[in-house]
Structures are given as structure tokens and as C-alpha cells.
Amino acid sequence: MAAENRNSVAADPGTPGATGGSETPRGLETPRTQRSGRGGYGDPPRHALRKPPNDNAYLAADDLVFAYTPGAPVLQGLTMALARGRLACVLGPNGSGKTTLLRILVGLLVPAEGRVRLAGTPLEQYPRGALARRVAYVPQETLAAVGFTALETVLMGRSPHTGALGFESTGDWHAAREALRRTDTERFAQRSLEDLSGGERQRVIIARALAQEPDVILLDEPTSFLDIKHQHGIYGLLRRLVTEEGKTVVAVSHDLGLAAAYADDLVLVDEGRVAAAGTPQEVIRPEVLSPVYETPVEVRTDEATGRPYVLPRPPA
């Protein structure tokens, strides 16, 4: 597993149209120019952003621009860099571009400008099978596959490894059952996926991603349908995948508390750009969060873990 790296998450290294030597990070300039008069909570501090180059990143997004309809960009020059063997959470308000970013990182969407690099290689240069063996994706919502049991659904995650004929080996069945065990879904193995609750189904889909045995796991709000026990269970599992197996995990989350408690790195996205990036202690700060979420917050430190947590503060 890669060693701890204080430059593991990078905000955009330059302003629009500037070279890498610019002194003003784009992530900082954007909220300042666009948020005048929007809440009055001040600008994100300069120290919350980082400017190392993306050249050595394991998973990097370079100046991504994307729009679903002309003239309405969702991503506007977004740049970030993630080191290998880290758990990163992507945060931001609704509509800030988080899910779009994740879908571009996995190759489901193609940016109008910019590129994604995995282990230094542009994503488009990977054959589909090779990319599927390295990157797994857990969407926010998954339609139940009619007629398939939970075990059969998880076994689908082995398809990148089964060869042209698609016959599962003993090892494939073992990987699928182990993934069910790790997500506490063994008891659903023979139940139809359509008969499970939203939270149960979500854990089965996460198990399918684990069965894929990828290097990188991308998850879109993986705990949105889960109770508090399974929320911490899933993030605890993601944490172990990083620390024990060296996986690189990127999770989109609206839960600032879970993200601050488990992530190595946070990326705060706002209006299609990176507003701040760094450790939880650097990003979970009132002067960083309040301008982006347009609401006052209070940040305290958990004495047991030393990690920050957020309390909403009603407007005066």
C-alpha cells in the first residue's frame, strides 16, 4: 500500500487560461468570484487548497468540462488528483457535479474537454475488459435485475475474469460468496434481488463490486439507503479495503460526518469545480463549508479520534 502522502489530493493548480505557475488556485478563485452576495459567509481560506502537480497521481482528472445540454456546463475545468491506496470522499451541494464526475472517472461519460488518467495512462487507452478488471463502480440507484438472486447478481462482478465463454470457476463462486460475507448479505444469497429493500439491495451491489476485485472502487452515495449500523459497516469495510489491501476508494457522499470520520482525503466540489481539497482537518472548517453550502455550520473535534465533525447552526 502506498505510504501516507500529504499531497494525495490536489485542487486545481491554476486559474482559467493560466499556466501551472499561477499563484491563485482555480478552486479558490471560483467561489470568490461567483459567491459575492450569496450568503455572506466569507471566502474559503487559501490554506484549505493544495497545488501539487497531478503527474504522479494514481487517479487524476485534468481540466474536465462536461455539459448534458449546450450552454449549461456541469463541470467547468475540474481538476483533482488522488494517490493510490487512499479513501477519498467527494462532497458538495446538490447539483454541484459529483455524480457526473464519478461517471466520467469510470468511463461512462466522456468529457467535452480534459481527460482522466489511471496509473498515468489516459482512460480511453484502456481496453474495456482491462478497465473493468481495474475499476468497479457502484451507482447511487440500481434497478433490480428481475429473476436474479443476490448471489447471481454478485457473481456478475466476476464477468471481467471469466473469459470469452463466461463460465464461472470455483474461484469465482468463492469470490462472490466472500463478497456477500463482507457486506453482511450472506443471508440474502438465494433471495431475488427485487424482493430486497433498497438498503439491502445497495449492499448486494457493493458486494458485486468487491467480487470484481478491482484496484479502484468508485461509489456514488453508498450509504444513502442504509441504517446507522450498516452506514458505519460499509465505511468500515471501505476503510479496511484501503488499509489492508491497498485499494483506492472514491465515494461521493452528502454525509459530512461519515466522510470526516473515515476518509483520508476530501474533495469539495461546487458549481463544477473543486472548491477545496485536503485532509478532513483542512476541509471540514466553517470558513470552507459555509460559503459552499450557503448555511452557517459549527465544527468541533472528536476527542477520541481527533477528527472534526459538523453541527448545523440555525441562522440568527
Side-chain angles (χ1 to χ4, degrees), residues 3-275:
E4 292 280 336
N5 180 359
R6 283 192 53 82
N7 289 337
S8 56
V9 179
D12 199 326
T15 56
T19 64
S22 172
E23 295 182 356
T24 306
R26 184 182 303 170
L28 180 59
E29 181 190 28
T30 300
R32 180 155 51 204
T33 56
Q34 293 186 352
R35 292 194 173 278
S36 57
R38 289 182 54 190
Y41 298 118
D43 296 323
R46 188 178 299 270
H47 62 72
L49 301 170
R50 297 181 179 181
K51 300 187 293 179
N54 292 355
D55 297 344
N56 297 320
Y58 188 63
L59 181 62
D62 303 323
D63 293 315
L64 298 181
V65 175
F66 183 86
Y68 292 99
T69 58
V74 178
L75 300 184
Q76 306 184 65
L78 185 146
T79 292
M80 71 175 194
L82 304 173
R84 189 171 191 172
R86 308 277 288 188
L87 170 54
C89 284
V90 180
L91 309 174
N94 292 331
S96 58
K98 303 183 298 299
T99 293
T100 299
L101 169 63
L102 215 62
R103 290 172 64 83
I104 290 176
L105 291 179
V106 77
L108 295 176
L109 295 176
V110 178
E113 298 178 23
R115 65 177 183 176
V116 173
R117 289 178 289 114
L118 174 62
T121 300
L123 208 63
E124 64 271 15
Q125 293 184 15
Y126 281 93
R128 290 182 62 88
L131 186 62
R133 287 188 291 273
R134 299 193 68 167
V135 181
Y137 173 61
V138 178
Q140 183 176 349
E141 296 183 11
T142 303
L143 296 177
V146 178
F148 289 96
T149 66
L151 177 58
E152 291 168 336
T153 300
V154 173
L155 196 59
M156 294 175 188
R158 298 299 300 165
S159 59
H161 305 276
T162 55
L165 297 178
F167 295 121
E168 296 88 2
S169 66
T170 301
D172 293 324
W173 284 94
H174 174 76
R177 291 188 179 279
E178 177 63 12
L180 286 169
R181 184 192 66 78
R182 299 179 77 176
T183 53
D184 191 27
T185 52
E186 282 180 294
R187 62 188 181 276
F188 307 139
Q190 301 306 322
R191 288 181 57 183
S192 174
L193 199 65
E194 59 201 283
D195 293 335
L196 301 181
S197 70
E200 292 166 346
R201 190 182 307 137
Q202 183 73 351
R203 284 153 52 207
V204 170
I205 300 305
I206 293 173
R208 184 177 66 184
L210 297 184
Q212 198 171 323
E213 296 183 333
D215 296 329
V216 179
I217 303 177
L218 307 175
L219 307 99
D220 194 354
E221 298 192 42
T223 61
S224 57
F225 300 109
L226 304 185
D227 57 50
I228 188 170
K229 171 188 173 181
H230 288 105
Q231 286 178 351
H232 285 276
I234 290 299
Y235 269 95
L237 172 60
L238 299 180
R239 180 76 262 160
R240 291 191 299 275
L241 290 172
V242 169
T243 58
E244 297 174 8
E245 301 180 22
K247 304 291 187 186
T248 301
V249 179
V250 183
V252 166
S253 180
H254 278 292
D255 193 320
L256 300 179
L258 282 173
Y262 286 96
D264 296 305
D265 308 297
L266 302 178
V267 178
L268 182 62
V269 177
D270 185 32
E271 298 181 344
R273 297 184 177 94
V274 172

